[in-house]
Amino acid sequence: MALTGRAAPYIAAHVPAEVDKHLAKMAAHFEIPDRRARRVLMEQRTGIAS
């Protein structure tokens, strides 16, 4: 983001907990296994693919 001149995003401390809270509901809505959705989320958070 530094190259674009845009400010880095700020994620409030409560946001990850909110994402975890609703992840199963959204995974079910999009017919994606909860385990797969959690794995992708963790990869995005850590930058480490499993």
Side-chain angles (χ1 to χ4, degrees), residues 8-47:
Y10 171 76
I11 299 175
H14 73 281
V15 172
E18 290 291 321
V19 170
D20 289 339
K21 179 179 174 183
H22 297 287
L23 186 62
K25 180 180 176 182
M26 295 307 297
H29 175 77
F30 289 104
E31 300 177 358
I32 299 169
D34 182 57
R35 184 175 178 174
R36 181 175 177 197
R38 290 190 183 283
R39 186 183 78 234
V40 170
L41 179 62
M42 186 57 64
E43 290 173 2
Q44 289 179 350
R45 285 182 177 174
T46 64

